[in-house]
Amino acid sequence: MAGQFRSVLDVQGWTGFLTALGVVRESARQPGGAPARPMGVLVQPQLTASVSGVMFGVDPVTGDTDRLVVEAVVGNPDSLVSGRVTAQRLVLDRRGRVRSVDGATRHARHRVGHPEVLTSQDCRELARLAAAAAAEFGAPQDVEWALDDDHRLWLLQSRPVTKVAAPATGPVLGPGPVA
């Protein structure tokens, strides 16, 4: 149920906890203002992330099941999911090998000195997480994740990929996105 209810970050003290609890409960109110149905509220320690982002277990634009699409930012994921920052976009194969970053192939990226947010090891760990989440939940997942300062990978939330484009059919008339 990722994204359906409010999340409150960096809660401090008992009064802050009670306020945050009220905010989350209020976000469950029914349309038209009807009282919220009973719900559980997850309370967990705040993770300080060195790098974080979202990952799709299938390319949602092309429908390609052989690719993972990762969007990564430095720091906590709230700046990405709220739309305040633009992420680095990586396309990985199922083993976690980088195929492109921000639309540039690996070779072209190194020529222009494009810095990478994630290491090769991070990408392999993300690929393993995508496979484990798909196996656990029965379908490719839209995963929010974070790496802590020790580069330990955390799954923050997961839901099925909601919309995937149908694979293109017909002749290919040349290389690149126009084809």
Side-chain angles (χ1 to χ4, degrees):
M1 296 172 51
Q4 291 186 16
F5 306 109
R6 290 282 314 269
S7 294
V8 182
L9 306 176
D10 297 319
V11 174
Q12 302 290 318
W14 183 249
T15 302
F17 172 78
L18 294 175
T19 301
L21 186 62
V23 168
V24 173
R25 292 272 306 129
E26 186 63 26
S27 72
R29 189 169 289 281
Q30 300 296 308
R37 292 180 292 220
M39 67 180 282
V41 175
L42 176 64
V43 178
Q44 59 190 17
Q46 178 69 36
L47 173 68
T48 302
S50 59
V51 179
S52 60
V54 295
M55 173 176 54
F56 295 93
V58 60
D59 189 325
V61 175
T62 66
D64 190 341
T65 58
D66 293 333
R67 296 180 176 192
L68 307 173
V69 176
V70 176
E71 296 201 349
V73 296
V74 173
N76 286 327
D78 58 309
S79 60
L80 172 62
V81 297
S82 68
R84 292 191 312 264
V85 299
T86 301
Q88 186 173 68
R89 183 178 188 272
L90 298 94
V91 176
L92 310 177
D93 68 14
R94 289 272 161 210
R95 296 178 66 187
R97 290 181 296 220
V98 177
R99 294 297 173 219
S100 70
V101 176
D102 294 333
T105 64
R106 184 173 200 89
H107 176 71
R109 197 172 72 248
H110 287 297
R111 238 185 344 197
V112 296
H114 192 84
E116 295 182 19
V117 173
L118 296 169
T119 67
S120 295
Q121 179 63 34
D122 296 335
C123 292
R124 286 189 297 274
E125 289 292 324
L126 284 166
R128 284 192 280 275
L129 177 62
E136 180 67 28
F137 298 114
Q141 297 292 295
D142 170 354
V143 173
E144 186 177 330
W145 56 270
L147 290 165
D148 64 18
D149 289 334
D150 296 324
H151 270 258
R152 198 172 23 206
L153 180 60
W154 296 83
L155 183 148
L156 303 177
Q157 58 183 353
S158 180
R159 64 179 168 203
V161 175
T162 54
K163 184 70 175 159
V164 177
T169 59
V172 176
L173 304 174
V178 176

